[in-house]
Amino acid sequence: MARKDTQKKKRKRLSPARSKLMIASVVMMALFAALIANLTYFVIFRGEDYAEKALKQWTRSVSIEAERGDIYDRNGNLLASSYTTYQVSANLQKIGKDDLERTANILSALLDLDYDATLAKLQKTDSNGNLKSQVKIKDQVEQEVIVQLSAQQFSSELSYTSDVKRNYPNGTLFAQLLGFTNTDGDGQSGLELTYNSYLSGTDGYQVTETDRDGNTIVGSDEQYVDPVNGAVVTTTTDTTMQAILENALEEACTVNNAKTAQGLLINPKTGEIYAMGSYPTFDPANPPRSDAALLLELAKLRPVTDTYEPGSIFKVVTLASALDSGTVNENSTFSCDGDLTVMGSDIHCWKSSGHGTQTLTQATENSCNCAFMSMALNVGAEAFYRYIYAFGFGTPTSTGLTGETSGSVTHIKYIKDGDLARIGFGQSISCTALQLAMAVSATINGGELLQPYVIDSIVGSDGTVLLEGERTVIRRVISDDTSTLVRSILTSVVDNGSGRNAQVYGYSVGGKTGTSQKYADDGTVSSTKLIASFVGFAPADNPQYLCLIIVDEPQVPVVYGSTVAAPFVQQVLSDVLTYSGTAPNRDNEAVIVPDCSNMTVEAAVALCKSKGLTCLYMEDELQATVVRQAPAVNTVVVNGSIVILYTPWTTFRAEDEEISYVEMPDIAGMTRMRAFDALQKAGLVMVYDRSQSYGVVTYTQYSAGTQLPEGTTVEVGFTFTPAD
């Protein structure tokens, strides 16, 4: 037993050397296992990350920017292109303390920057309080400015890197349609945004091997990938036609003292957009980026973004629907006593005394509300709604233009006869200008609703045609016979009715006036905020051009709503027909509009009459001075056309609007405050010379008891003698 115990003890006892060896083996195995685990983690799970980091350490990748594609009009005129500019950066650690103020002074002067802000940039530090190595001073600096900076004997203090800036050679022309890009060259609005993916292209790059200091290793392998430049976009627009339209919009807005004016010119037979825009406008090369709210307003492509109640232009849709449905024909007659009772409520015609008995053509010439209410009610809600939707109302036109809206059509289940009657003359329904233009086009082009388009083609840098515009019929809405009759009636509106201001020498023109009320902030209908519009097409028997102009909130001076927009549509059509070389189709007598400025209204009327022209003016303004006129001086018009005379006191009156009249109170002998209160209570607005407003009223523009449209401004004069 003793021997066995001794053997056990010998087996358990290990030499010190062997023990150390075993411990070392265990440690080595653990370290090896840890190494394997780490290698597995770094190779399998983090291999790609570390390979990328390693690649970055021994290579340098330089992006090669793709050139943004150009935009052209239908005739090959350049509308937008890109050119090289430069980004100026300051290397702060290279600028001595004694040179800070000099450097800031030169940079702020040549780059048009604030001196204090520039000086602060040159002293910018990081989170640890250390001076930054480099800061950007300004981008998109023109080459000539870089030359001026280089002449200031800067060496390593400044760095210049190439940049790209968008160029719009036509200035403000096409501003809303083209849109603009940001400082990185990406589209922000208009066609620049809509077709950004085509225009921007794909950047290339160059990869080279470098040493530890980042210097290129001579003779090392290089990888180079060419950039794919942006595609070339060709539009259906015409630069000359756009200029004609924009000039008319500016004049319409200025003459009528309006908030905005918008318009478009299209081919009603194909859907091609020749021109589109609004006024006020902006320069897309230098948009007011510092005022975001202003930029948003100016950059709106209003014919597709803004909706409004179309007013009487919608009567064209009602007319076409009633004729096509067979509920009326060219021999139908209508009676108008000034209002129509629908479901116990009287809905007024714009002419309170009524139009009497009229034929269908006469009712359209007169823009009689009662006649069109009757047409809508006779067609019936269900059938009329089918036409409304078929003409494209309630759905966007699918032009692809940024910000396009669909307007509003109240669901038929909520429509009662009173609502239906109002829709018949263009109330209780809203649309965009482009929707309305395409609907009117369908009534005159043979009956087909077309999809409007502004892109003729998009061609890639390799010559591949990526997109091509073409005439697209959405649906047939009315018969060709109905369309022919609508064209004839609308031609009569211009020849004999409310659209006479749109007559063009040498050509037949068809069209329709429109005036609609806007809503006040409290949701009620405003009696002073109005929208006046006119749509015209020519030649009337074979329409090639359709122009719609909408003037928002015209103030003074104007006479009738139909005169706010119609003269400017006439101006556009006249110039476009001449420019395009369209053959005349009428042998009518031409008259050149005389210059009536600075004459009394009475003298201007006599002058125009001697030339074969008639005038529109306010009867009580015969001795007032003419300050503006439409059409403009030397415009060629048709004999018998109307010249609108504007004086400082001309008051707005809308042809298609139901006018509320108030009585001029007797304010003679009143003090300024009493007169002001009396006029305000009557619904009139007092205007007076503030430097001569003492004493009592001795002069009023209108005599007591005169019936005036609500909201009319009344000129008042005072003595210098204080009241008793």
Side-chain angles (χ1 to χ4, degrees):
M1 291 292 293
R3 187 176 179 181
K4 290 181 179 179
D5 292 339
T6 301
Q7 289 176 345
K8 284 183 179 181
K9 290 178 180 179
K10 286 182 178 180
R11 284 198 296 270
K12 292 180 179 179
R13 186 182 300 120
L14 297 175
S15 66
R18 191 173 182 181
S19 297
K20 291 179 180 179
L21 181 60
M22 289 186 67
I23 292 171
S25 298
V26 171
V27 172
M28 289 296 293
M29 289 177 66
L31 290 173
F32 185 72
L35 179 61
I36 294 298
N38 274 288
L39 285 172
T40 301
Y41 172 73
F42 286 115
V43 172
I44 296 177
F45 297 104
R46 296 292 303 277
E48 292 184 7
D49 293 341
Y50 281 95
E52 186 179 345
K53 288 181 179 180
L55 185 64
K56 287 181 178 179
Q57 288 179 354
W58 73 68
T59 62
R60 178 173 59 200
S61 179
V62 178
S63 176
I64 303 171
E65 189 171 3
E67 292 183 11
R68 190 171 179 83
D70 295 338
I71 303 177
Y72 294 89
D73 79 347
R74 67 189 302 114
N75 301 311
N77 295 309
L78 184 65
L79 304 183
S81 63
S82 298
Y83 66 101
T84 301
T85 56
Y86 296 88
Q87 182 184 102
V88 178
S89 299
N91 303 312
L92 305 191
Q93 296 174 2
K94 301 289 185 179
I95 303 174
K97 290 184 178 179
D98 295 338
D99 288 333
L100 276 175
E101 292 185 358
R102 170 184 173 271
T103 304
N105 186 53
I106 292 173
L107 289 174
S108 60
L110 292 181
L111 300 179
D112 193 24
L113 300 172
D114 179 73
Y115 171 80
D116 292 332
T118 304
L119 183 62
K121 278 188 176 182
L122 298 180
Q123 302 175 81
K124 202 166 187 178
T125 58
D126 58 24
S127 57
N128 296 320
N130 299 318
L131 197 65
K132 284 195 168 186
S133 59
Q134 189 180 75
V135 295
K136 182 177 77 172
I137 301 299
K138 189 176 182 180
D139 53 21
Q140 295 191 340
V141 179
E142 306 290 340
Q143 185 173 358
E144 56 267 26
V145 179
I146 298 298
V147 172
Q148 292 176 304
L149 281 174
S150 300
Q152 300 301 316
Q153 298 181 345
F154 289 115
S155 55
S156 58
E157 293 95 334
L158 300 179
S159 294
Y160 311 116
T161 54
S162 61
D163 200 356
V164 176
K165 186 173 182 179
R166 202 66 166 158
N167 176 46
Y168 302 93
N170 296 297
T172 60
L173 208 62
F174 291 106
Q176 293 91 5
L177 183 61
L178 290 174
F180 59 93
T181 61
N182 60 18
T183 54
D184 294 325
D186 294 320
Q188 294 293 284
S189 70
L191 296 181
E192 295 278 25
L193 174 60
T194 303
Y195 298 99
N196 187 63
S197 60
Y198 290 101
L199 291 163
S200 59
T202 305
D203 291 345
Y205 60 88
Q206 181 181 18
V207 179
T208 58
E209 293 184 11
T210 61
D211 60 21
R212 65 179 183 178
D213 295 322
N215 300 311
T216 301
I217 299 174
V218 179
S220 62
D221 293 334
E222 291 186 356
Q223 183 183 5
Y224 185 89
V225 176
D226 287 320
V228 178
N229 292 332
V232 172
V233 174
T234 301
T235 68
T236 61
T237 63
D238 184 292
T239 299
T240 300
M241 293 183 186
Q242 182 75 21
I244 290 170
L245 176 67
E246 289 198 23
N247 287 338
L249 293 178
E250 180 178 1
E251 188 177 349
C253 194
T254 303
V255 166
N256 293 295
N257 193 24
K259 184 178 179 182
T260 64
Q262 59 172 286
L264 50 83
L265 179 72
I266 64 173
N267 185 328
K269 289 190 170 184
T270 65
E272 293 169 280
I273 297 172
Y274 293 137
M276 179 185 288
S278 64
Y279 185 85
T281 187
F282 69 103
D283 182 358
N286 295 289
R289 301 183 195 276
S290 59
D291 190 335
L294 174 63
L295 180 56
L296 181 63
E297 280 299 304
L298 294 178
K300 277 185 178 181
L301 188 57
R302 296 187 183 278
V304 300
T305 63
D306 289 9
T307 60
Y308 78 113
E309 286 191 353
S312 291
I313 291 182
F314 191 81
K315 292 172 181 175
V316 177
V317 174
T318 306
L319 172 66
S321 303
L323 284 169
D324 195 67
S325 66
T327 54
V328 300
N329 58 54
E330 54 189 320
N331 298 316
S332 298
T333 58
F334 303 88
S335 179
C336 173
D337 296 323
D339 58 48
L340 185 68
T341 303
V342 183
M343 297 183 68
S345 297
D346 292 336
I347 305 177
H348 300 282
C349 183
W350 67 266
K351 186 176 182 181
S352 57
S353 60
H355 291 102
T357 301
Q358 314 156 90
T359 64
L360 178 65
T361 298
Q362 289 171 335
T364 309
E365 290 172 354
N366 295 330
S367 193
C368 175
N369 289 356
C370 291
F372 284 90
M373 284 189 276
S374 298
M375 288 185 217
L377 292 169
N378 288 336
V379 173
E382 187 174 341
F384 195 23
Y385 258 65
R386 283 200 300 270
Y387 282 107
I388 288 172
Y389 287 127
F391 275 113
F393 295 98
T395 56
T397 64
S398 300
T399 57
L401 294 172
T402 305
E404 183 174 10
T405 51
S406 60
S408 176
V409 178
T410 305
H411 196 283
I412 191 171
K413 68 181 179 182
Y414 301 115
I415 292 295
K416 301 187 182 305
D417 281 352
D419 305 308
L420 187 63
R422 292 183 182 279
I423 292 174
F425 61 88
Q427 289 186 359
S428 302
I429 189 170
S430 70
C431 61
T432 66
L434 186 57
Q435 279 179 311
L436 185 60
M438 297 316 298
V440 174
S441 293
T443 70
I444 63 169
N445 68 11
E448 294 177 329
L449 180 68
L450 304 176
Q451 180 176 307
Y453 64 102
V454 73
I455 300 299
D456 179 71
S457 67
I458 299 179
V459 180
S461 57
D462 61 354
T464 303
V465 178
L466 305 175
L467 190 151
E468 198 164 13
E470 61 182 354
R471 182 180 189 272
T472 302
V473 178
I474 298 175
R475 69 181 69 90
R476 172 165 289 282
V477 186
I478 59 175
S479 70
D480 185 58
D481 289 342
T482 299
S483 179
T484 300
L485 187 52
V486 171
R487 282 200 306 271
S488 174
I489 293 173
L490 295 182
T491 303
S492 186
V493 169
V494 174
D495 288 342
N496 309 303
S498 58
R500 282 183 297 163
N501 289 354
Q503 293 180 88
V504 175
Y505 168 64
Y507 300 91
S508 59
V509 177
K512 185 70 187 76
T513 59
T515 305
S516 57
Q517 293 175 309
K518 296 180 70 174
Y519 291 90
D521 294 336
D522 60 1
T524 59
V525 175
S526 172
S527 60
T528 57
K529 294 182 178 181
L530 304 166
I531 297 176
S533 55
F534 188 85
V535 63
F537 56 90
D541 56 347
N542 183 26
Q544 302 298 313
Y545 303 99
L546 181 143
C547 180
L548 170 62
I549 287 181
I550 300 169
V551 183
D552 186 15
E553 294 187 25
Q555 298 301 311
V556 290
V558 287
V559 178
Y560 295 106
S562 61
T563 65
V564 172
F568 305 102
V569 171
Q570 185 270 353
Q571 177 182 319
V572 171
L573 291 177
S574 177
D575 291 347
V576 166
L577 289 164
T578 301
Y579 160 72
S580 64
T582 304
N585 67 342
R586 278 212 176 165
D587 185 19
N588 44 22
E589 185 180 349
V591 176
I592 297 177
V593 177
D595 186 357
C596 301
S597 58
N598 298 317
M599 293 183 175
T600 63
V601 170
E602 187 174 31
V605 170
L607 175 62
C608 288
K609 185 177 181 180
S610 70
K611 303 291 184 180
L613 302 171
T614 58
C615 293
L616 278 178
Y617 57 93
M618 296 291 285
E619 290 290 344
D620 48 11
E621 295 178 3
L622 285 173
Q623 300 309 312
T625 302
V626 175
V627 293
R628 292 172 185 156
Q629 66 183 78
V633 179
N634 294 327
T635 300
V636 179
V637 298
V638 177
N639 184 39
S641 294
I642 299 171
V643 177
I644 311 158
L645 303 176
Y646 303 129
T647 77
W649 306 110
T650 305
T651 303
F652 183 82
R653 258 171 46 197
E655 175 211 17
D656 294 341
E657 177 202 4
E658 179 189 343
I659 302 172
S660 297
Y661 287 90
V662 296
E663 184 175 306
M664 173 68 189
D666 185 0
I667 59 173
M670 291 186 180
T671 61
R672 177 172 57 84
M673 289 304 298
R674 287 183 60 201
F676 181 88
D677 290 341
L679 289 173
Q680 185 179 53
K681 184 177 180 181
L684 302 171
V685 179
M686 186 172 80
V687 292
Y688 56 94
D689 185 344
R690 294 182 182 275
S691 66
Q692 300 181 15
S693 58
Y694 302 101
V696 295
V697 175
T698 56
Y699 164 77
T700 57
Q701 183 181 0
Y702 305 102
S703 58
T706 302
Q707 295 293 311
L708 299 171
E710 185 177 3
T712 297
T713 57
V714 179
E715 183 184 5
V716 177
F718 298 87
T719 66
F720 286 89
T721 305
D724 294 333

